């Protein structure tokens, strides 16, 4: 198992946001985590990399326990989070954004990244603030890949993007999987999830309420209606 | 007032402005990265200047002071940073109280070890007297300060704009959390940044000592000017601190000849005018 989360609780001050979340991601798998706004999806991803104030429970990456490690240590082990806000540094150029994340152990060097994202090469001397939403998302993913992850955590990557860009993103996530990187994908876009994911989890009010494989998710009409209706489009 | 006198005051202002820039850039980056308001920042300048005085008195060798004082202050700051780090998450009011206390302790220590009186520091032997450029005569030491600080600024610019460490620092002024997500150990960045900022400020103190002498209250004065420059230039901005430092240096220096009593007031007037027009500073961002 690449990632095993067992009985994860997370808190913001007194509010108990995640209540015993357990999930797994296997080698080379794309797993989708769905749920309404405020269900705790972002908090789950942030908990994995230790970027929430308080959390309890067990998190293993490969056969290593990581819940006691610092964020940068978890990142160095090969867990890359692409945050919901993308986290592009606006003052840095595209190339600088990539350079500060680059690690020699990565299977993608700068040239490989530019082959995968030709648009970023065209814009390499532009500052982050000059990029469109789609370009920022591509840069955020590229920046995660150049650090050599074995597990990629994507938080709503299609949010606010034009349909053609979403298509492009789909190709890229497929390519990432073929390169042997596992993906835990948080999404509101059901079509995107269905096209890519091997397994699905639905999170509601901080607990996992449904889990299924690819086929099971398509036929899970009642759960989709109940837990995703507001968010589905 | 003659053209030569005006020119002299402008060039004086540039030299002093470069010294101000080196004090302000450390304050600006430390604030930008750690969100830490360090009232004791002026103490690095004070200690740098007094180390210069002590070393020059003891050995007569200014160059030794120029090399050793920033190194010593930088190493102490680097060692102290893990302790100082406890303050980063505290409210600004507590940061101000704690570091104000520290600044006063250092200032009183200087008074105890030396005394409250100002002292002169001799310029190094080769840089005493004046250089002649036709009818323009200018003190060699001040000329040296301009050239030397320009070289330091160039190295600093290269470090900030052309190296990975610099890119990480600039990224850090936007979001340290995101920097950490990329696998970068931010505590090492904090220590190094604090040390470099402290060393640069101590270096300013060394350079200023032969120009203005040393006295125990020079740290407080430097701190307030550095704050003005950070406000004018924008937090975390190299070019902003440079432009702000030079502007304040020249305004202060030129005003001394027109209206000596108001020279320091004009610094704050300049700041007020600039933030009225550009609330985030000359080169700052929202
Ligand atoms: N920084 C925070 N401080 C306090 N509460 C938060 C914070 N971030 C999220 N929450 C709360 O935690 C819950 C889960 O949020 P989040 O994980 O962002 O949900 P999702 O990503 O599924 O929309 C929500 O009720 C949200 O209001
Ligand atoms: Mg979210």
């Amino acid at each position: 198992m690449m990632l095993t989360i067992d009985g994860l609780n997370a808190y913001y001050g007194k509010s108990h946001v995640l209540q015993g979340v357990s999930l797994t991601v296997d080698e080379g798998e794309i797993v989708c985590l769905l749920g309404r706004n405020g269900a705790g999806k972002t908090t789950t991803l942030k908990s994995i990399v230790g970027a929430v104030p308080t959390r309890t429970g067990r998190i293993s990456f490969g056969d290593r326990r990581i819940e006691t490690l610092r964020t940068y240590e978890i990142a160095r082990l090969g867990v890359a989070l692409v945050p919901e806000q993308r986290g592009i540094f606006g003052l840095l150029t595209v190339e600088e954004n990539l350079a500060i994340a680059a690690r020699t152990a990565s299977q993608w060097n700068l040239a490989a990244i530019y082959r995968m994202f030709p648009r970023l090469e065209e814009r390499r001397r532009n500052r982050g603030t000059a990029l469109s939403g789609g370009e920022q998302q591509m840069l955020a993913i590229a920046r995660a890949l150049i650090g050599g992850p074995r597990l990629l955590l994507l938080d709503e990557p299609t949010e606010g993007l034009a349909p053609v860009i979403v298509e492009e993103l789909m190709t890229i996530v497929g390519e990432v999987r073929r390169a042997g990187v596992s993906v835990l994908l948080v999404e509101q876009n059901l079509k995107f999830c269905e096209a890519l994911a091997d397994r699905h989890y639905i999170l509601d009010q901080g607990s996992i309420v449904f889990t299924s494989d690819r086929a099971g998710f398509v036929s899970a009409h009642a759960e989709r209606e109940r837990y995703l209706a507001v968010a589905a489009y | 007032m003659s053209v030569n006198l005006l020119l002299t005051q402008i060039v004086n202002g540039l030299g002093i402005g470069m010294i101000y820039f080196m004090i302000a850039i450390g304050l600006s980056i430390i604030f930008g990265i750690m969100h830490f308001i360090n009232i004791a920042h002026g103490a690095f300048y004070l200690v740098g200047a007094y180390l210069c005085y002590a070393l020059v008195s003891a050995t007569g060798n200014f160059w030794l002071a120029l090399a050793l004082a920033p190194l010593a202050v930088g190493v102490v700051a680097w060692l102290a940073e893990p302790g100082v780090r406890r303050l980063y998450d505290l409210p600004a009011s507590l940061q101000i109280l704690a570091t104000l206390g520290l600044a006063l302790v250092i200032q009183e220590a200087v008074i105890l070890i030396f005394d409250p009186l100002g002292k002169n520091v001799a310029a190094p032997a080769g840089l005493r007297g004046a250089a002649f450029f036709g009818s323009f005569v200018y003190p060699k030491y001040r000329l040296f300060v301009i050239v030397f600080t320009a070289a330091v600024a160039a190295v600093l610019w290269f470090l900030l704009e052309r190296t990975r460490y610099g890119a990480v620092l600039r990224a850090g002024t936007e979001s340290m959390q995101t920097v950490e997500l990329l696998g970068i150990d931010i505590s090492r960045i904090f220590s190094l940044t604090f040390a470099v900022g402290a060393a640069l400020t101590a270096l300013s103190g060394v350079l200023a000592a032969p120009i203005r002498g040393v006295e125990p209250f020079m740290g407080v004065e430097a701190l307030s000017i550095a704050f003005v420059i950070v406000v004018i230039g924008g937090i975390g901005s190299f070019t902003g601190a440079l432009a702000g430092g030079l502007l304040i240096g020249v305004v202060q220096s030129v005003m001394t000849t027109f209206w000596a009593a108001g020279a320091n007031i004009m610094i704050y007037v300049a700041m007020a005018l600039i933030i009225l027009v550009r609330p985030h500073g000359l080169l700052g961002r929202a």
Side-chain angles (χ1 to χ4, degrees):
Chain A
M1 213 43 76
M2 172 118 289
L3 176 75
T4 310
I5 301 179
D6 189 12
L8 173 66
N9 291 277
Y11 307 81
Y12 292 110
K14 286 211 169 74
S15 90
H16 187 178
V17 173
L18 295 184
Q19 312 191 349
V21 169
S22 298
L23 63 79
T24 61
V25 179
D26 211 345
E27 300 273 347
E29 235 188 350
I30 299 185
V31 171
C32 196
L33 182 60
L34 297 133
R36 288 202 186 90
N37 274 332
K41 305 181 296 296
T42 297
T43 306
T44 304
L45 296 189
K46 283 188 171 172
S47 297
I48 297 170
V49 296
V52 291
T54 328
R55 72 201 196 291
T56 63
R58 292 196 310 185
I59 307 174
S60 308
F61 181 62
D63 46 22
R64 253 192 101 156
R65 293 281 290 273
I66 59 169
E67 74 269 7
T68 54
L69 300 184
R70 303 261 310 275
T71 296
Y72 82 91
E73 295 171 317
I74 298 170
R76 280 188 194 175
L77 285 177
V79 183
L81 169 65
V82 177
E84 207 168 354
Q85 296 78 19
R86 282 118 202 206
I88 296 307
F89 299 113
L91 295 176
L92 272 56
T93 63
V94 166
E95 197 147 296
E96 284 173 335
N97 266 280
L98 292 167
I100 62 173
R103 265 197 294 279
T104 43
S106 173
Q107 52 179 315
W108 289 278
N109 59 18
L110 192 62
I113 287 291
Y114 282 153
R115 265 196 307 280
M116 199 163 168
F117 303 91
R119 184 72 187 141
L120 292 183
E121 183 165 24
E122 288 167 30
R123 310 221 59 178
R124 53 197 280 255
R125 302 230 174 276
N126 287 103
R127 287 188 192 268
T129 40
L131 302 183
S132 69
E135 288 165 345
Q136 288 198 6
Q137 186 61 59
M138 296 301 176
L139 178 54
I141 294 176
R143 194 176 63 180
L145 295 180
I146 208 168
R150 293 199 292 137
L151 172 65
L152 190 61
L153 311 174
L154 296 175
D155 198 350
E156 306 210 20
T158 70
E159 195 181 3
L161 300 187
V164 282
I165 312 281
V166 173
E167 292 274 308
E168 230 176 280
L169 208 57
M170 213 180 269
T171 316
I172 282 161
V173 176
E175 224 174 292
V176 168
R177 181 220 314 252
R178 274 195 298 285
V181 176
S182 308
V183 181
L184 178 55
L185 174 66
V186 161
E187 254 309 331
Q188 305 260 4
N189 180 337
L190 287 185
K191 286 211 184 83
F192 192 77
C193 281
E194 282 173 344
L196 287 166
D198 302 303
R199 286 189 304 115
H200 301 264
Y201 289 92
I202 298 179
L203 193 62
D204 195 60
Q205 295 182 29
S207 303
I208 300 285
V209 292
F210 175 77
T211 163
S212 80
D213 60 11
R214 184 183 278 269
F217 187 67
V218 177
S219 56
H221 300 291
E223 285 79 5
R224 292 165 71 129
E225 183 67 26
R226 180 154 168 218
Y227 298 115
L228 307 173
V230 180
Y233 49 85
Chain B
M1 151 185 221
S2 75
V3 174
N4 264 358
L5 179 57
L6 182 64
L7 188 60
T8 301
Q9 291 300 26
I10 290 175
V11 182
N12 278 349
L14 292 178
I16 292 167
M18 288 302 286
I19 289 177
Y20 289 165
F21 153 72
M22 293 202 312
I23 303 169
I25 188 72
L27 188 70
S28 182
I29 293 180
I30 288 169
F31 183 74
I33 299 253
M34 291 95 135
H35 303 288
F36 172 50
I37 305 174
N38 184 16
I39 300 296
H41 190 74
F44 298 138
Y45 176 74
L46 174 68
V47 170
Y50 269 89
L51 282 176
C52 176
Y53 166 74
L55 283 166
V56 170
S57 306
T59 67
N61 191 340
F62 173 83
W63 306 110
L64 192 68
L66 190 71
L68 279 188
L71 188 69
V73 170
V75 168
V76 169
W78 185 74
L79 292 173
E81 194 278 335
V84 174
R85 198 175 295 163
R86 295 152 198 265
L87 298 173
Y88 300 165
D89 289 330
L90 296 182
S93 54
L94 290 182
Q95 293 182 353
I96 291 171
L97 273 180
T99 55
L100 177 64
L102 184 64
L104 291 176
V105 167
I106 294 172
Q107 184 177 306
E108 290 308 308
V110 165
I111 294 175
L112 275 179
I113 296 169
F114 300 91
D115 55 61
L117 303 175
K119 301 173 193 324
N120 289 321
V121 175
L127 296 173
R128 290 182 194 143
F132 295 84
F133 305 89
S135 70
F136 183 65
V137 182
Y138 199 72
K140 283 184 192 162
Y141 179 76
R142 283 181 180 256
L143 210 54
F144 158 76
V145 167
I146 294 175
V147 173
F148 183 77
T149 50
V152 171
V155 170
L156 206 55
W157 178 87
F158 183 84
L159 192 72
L160 281 171
E161 297 292 328
R162 289 287 177 271
T163 66
R164 185 166 181 273
Y165 168 69
V168 168
L169 273 192
R170 282 178 289 131
T173 59
E174 294 186 55
S175 164
M176 254 338 207
Q177 165 107 297
T178 309
V179 166
E180 204 176 6
L181 281 176
L182 302 178
I184 296 162
D185 180 1
I186 59 175
S187 59
R188 286 180 53 190
I189 304 284
F190 284 168
S191 296
L192 196 56
T193 305
F194 196 66
V196 170
L200 278 172
T201 308
L203 179 62
S204 316
V206 173
L207 290 170
I211 295 178
R212 44 122 42 238
V214 299
E215 41 92 11
F217 306 103
M218 63 190 292
V220 180
E221 181 194 316
L223 177 78
S224 51
I225 289 175
F227 265 113
V228 168
I229 292 167
V230 173
V231 169
I232 290 179
I235 290 161
S237 166
F238 173 90
T239 26
L242 186 60
L246 292 176
L247 182 77
I248 293 301
V250 170
V251 165
Q252 194 186 31
S253 176
V254 171
M255 280 311 296
T256 316
T257 45
F258 289 116
W259 180 34
N264 283 328
I265 295 172
M266 288 314 292
I267 294 174
Y268 299 96
V269 172
M271 171 176 85
L273 286 177
I274 286 169
I275 54 180
L276 272 177
V277 182
R278 294 187 56 96
H280 297 290
L282 286 175
L283 292 134
R285 63 214 130 77

